[in-house]
Amino acid sequence: MYKIGEALIGDGPELAHIDLLIGDKNGPVGQAFANGLSTLSVGHTPLTSVIRPNLMTKPATLIIPKVTVGDLEDASKIFGPAQTAVARAVADAVEDGYIPKEDVEDMVINVSVFIDPSAKDFRKIYQYNYGATKLAIRRAMEGYPSIEKVLAEKDRGTHPIMGFRVQRLWAPPYLQVALDLDNLDVMERILADLPNKERVLIEAGTPLVKKFGVGVVGKIRELRPDAFIIADLKTLDVGRVEVKMAADETADAVAISGLGTLESIKKAIHETQKQGIYSILDMMNVKDFEEKLSAIPDDLKPDIVLLHRNVDLETWIKEHGGNTEGMTEWGNIEKIKEITGSLVAVAGGITPDNVEEAIDKGADIIIAGRYIIGSRDVRRSAQDFLAHFGPDPDNMRLAMDEDENIAEDENNSEEKK
């Protein structure tokens, strides 16, 4: 038997990150303990954790430095505050009932400790490592996090050291702003004016990509580091190459033309899966798209199906006195979701006046182009749409909204008693 725990506590160079294994002396953790204690490694030599010299904690605990110990100053941080912090946290975990007293002689703990070489404050090193070790033990013994917690947080959490967010489309609806432009200065002005919200997705439109190349995605990323960026390539052939090019420029999604052959579509979607980005299948001018979508294997269904009205056709009909009502395929949204399980985006003639109708019919992504990018007040025009969307999914969350459920913890504590 062995259990795994992890915790990060603190801030600045003194922050503590703990990884640990708890298990039987006669099992794999015990073997790792013995190997670690008897193996010398330059700069990473493990040491037993003691409350004070000549008083080893129980269960016996091995500290493994994650960062190279380069000199005596680095060593003093490990042998002093970190060593004592870990030892006391282990003893307190026994006293608090997380580790049964009757098991302490049969168990060992291996603790990996991170100490930044630039850390100076010994008090903080002690405090943070004590808290992180005790929390990691508690989490290990309780099996935290549950798989439900992992799945709920996987698309929401951010790593503090990364410095940027990776957005996933987990809580529609979203507003996709199509930058169908041929001017970089205008693009930069629009991006500066667009609301910086999670619900706003940015599309590098086909004209933009054709004039400036797929590298324009990288330019957008420089201006909006945390944005969800779509490369509207309308890929028809050699999708693997084009998708990889867009992924290399940090695109979050690539639009593939539904007019391509089934083989081309499958290859392009396979490449998006390989690159870890979203696939968008644009069904513009595809006559029997339900049949085509059904022909795509389940494991290669697109992440997003785009129901796209042809702008040139719409203009021609209007010029000849025709009625463009019903040109969207909004009535087919639920059928498409039934076939593919995908999100559905709608584009073509959508304004704030009819956006709620599209959402009510099941649209997950509303694509707006001319209404926003052709406006003198880009921010106001975008807000006209966003007023129908509600707040960003995470705007009410606390910065550290990742804690264990208190009620569950209280129940676990009662069981221990």
Side-chain angles (χ1 to χ4, degrees):
M1 180 278 296
Y2 68 90
K3 295 180 179 292
I4 304 168
E6 178 271 345
L8 184 148
I9 286 182
D11 195 11
E14 287 79 18
L15 97 170
H17 183 240
I18 295 293
D19 296 307
L20 60 79
L21 293 170
I22 303 175
D24 300 326
K25 283 183 178 178
N26 295 325
V29 179
Q31 185 64 49
F33 183 101
N35 289 341
L37 196 57
S38 59
T39 302
L40 296 180
S41 175
V42 177
H44 293 274
T45 300
L47 62 151
T48 54
S49 186
V50 298
I51 294 171
R52 59 167 173 76
N54 299 313
L55 184 62
M56 185 177 71
T57 195
K58 291 292 182 77
T61 301
L62 192 68
I63 295 179
I64 305 103
K66 296 181 185 179
V67 178
T68 301
V69 179
D71 52 31
L72 189 59
E73 183 181 356
D74 290 342
S76 66
K77 299 168 190 174
I78 295 287
F79 280 90
Q83 187 180 34
T84 301
V86 171
R88 290 183 178 175
V90 170
D92 283 346
V94 176
E95 188 172 55
D96 291 346
Y98 290 104
I99 300 175
K101 287 183 180 180
E102 60 271 19
D103 293 340
V104 296
E105 295 297 340
D106 299 321
M107 299 175 68
V108 290
I109 304 177
N110 295 334
V111 180
S112 295
V113 176
F114 172 82
I115 304 292
D116 190 318
S118 66
K120 301 295 183 185
D121 191 323
F122 277 33
R123 176 77 188 194
K124 285 185 176 180
I125 293 174
Y126 169 83
Q127 179 178 328
Y128 293 155
N129 278 277
Y130 170 85
T133 302
K134 192 172 179 182
L135 180 58
I137 292 171
R138 178 178 177 177
R139 288 174 168 175
M141 301 307 288
E142 293 180 349
Y144 177 89
S146 66
I147 186 58
E148 289 75 19
K149 178 72 171 176
V150 171
L151 296 180
E153 290 287 330
K154 68 181 178 66
D155 296 334
R156 305 172 71 181
T158 58
H159 197 292
I161 298 178
M162 278 177 55
F164 62 90
R165 289 193 62 186
V166 177
Q167 185 176 336
R168 306 296 287 177
L169 306 182
W170 65 275
Y174 293 94
L175 172 65
Q176 179 173 322
V177 179
L179 300 178
D180 290 326
L181 305 163
D182 62 357
N183 187 303
L184 288 180
D185 292 334
V186 174
M187 179 195 81
E188 291 181 9
R189 176 181 62 78
I190 291 171
L191 290 175
D193 291 343
L194 276 176
N196 187 16
K197 292 182 174 290
E198 186 180 345
R199 290 208 182 277
V200 176
L201 316 180
I202 298 174
E203 173 194 322
T206 309
L208 201 60
V209 173
K210 283 188 174 182
K211 182 164 185 177
F212 300 105
V214 74
V216 76
V217 172
K219 295 183 182 295
I220 295 172
R221 179 68 67 197
E222 291 175 6
L223 298 169
R224 299 295 287 263
D226 293 337
F228 187 98
I229 303 174
I230 299 106
D232 187 8
L233 304 184
K234 291 188 173 63
T235 297
L236 276 164
D237 197 9
V238 257
R240 286 183 175 179
V241 176
E242 294 190 5
V243 169
K244 186 179 185 305
M245 289 167 55
D248 288 344
E249 291 293 335
T250 73
D252 295 289
V254 173
I256 303 156
S257 175
L259 292 171
T261 65
L262 186 60
E263 192 60 30
S264 293
I265 290 171
K266 290 192 299 183
K267 286 184 177 181
I269 292 176
H270 179 268
E271 187 63 26
T272 64
Q273 294 175 349
K274 178 180 173 182
Q275 297 291 336
I277 62 178
Y278 282 75
S279 57
I280 303 172
L281 194 60
D282 187 340
M283 306 307 288
M284 178 192 285
N285 295 338
V286 177
K287 292 181 179 179
D288 195 344
F289 52 79
E290 290 183 10
E291 180 180 341
K292 193 153 197 175
L293 290 170
S294 297
I296 300 172
D298 287 344
D299 61 340
L300 290 173
K301 288 287 196 284
D303 298 299
I304 302 166
V305 174
L306 170 53
L307 303 180
H308 198 148
R309 182 164 65 196
N310 186 307
V311 174
D312 290 336
L313 178 59
E314 175 192 3
T315 302
W316 186 89
I317 291 174
K318 285 181 177 179
E319 288 175 349
H320 290 76
N323 188 347
T324 59
E325 292 293 328
M327 285 186 62
T328 61
E329 297 288 351
W330 296 355
N332 295 308
I333 290 176
E334 293 305 324
K335 179 64 175 177
I336 289 170
K337 290 187 175 183
E338 181 182 326
I339 294 171
T340 64
S342 309
L343 298 176
V344 173
V346 294
I350 303 178
T351 69
D353 294 330
N354 61 11
V355 65
E356 289 196 12
E357 178 188 352
I359 294 172
D360 289 343
K361 288 184 178 294
D364 301 294
I365 300 170
I366 304 298
I367 302 178
R370 290 167 293 171
Y371 186 94
I372 295 176
I373 67 173
S375 172
R376 292 185 177 180
D377 190 340
V378 169
R379 180 172 294 272
R380 169 64 67 179
S381 297
Q383 292 289 7
D384 289 344
F385 280 96
L386 292 171
H388 300 276
F389 284 49
D392 275 357
D394 282 350
N395 78 331
M396 298 300 290
R397 302 181 80 214
L398 297 175
M400 294 298 288
D401 185 18
E402 58 185 28
D403 297 332
E404 295 83 342
N405 185 293
I406 293 176
E408 289 180 4
D409 289 345
E410 290 173 349
N411 291 337
N412 289 336
S413 297
E414 289 300 321
E415 289 176 6
K416 289 185 180 69
K417 295 176 182 176

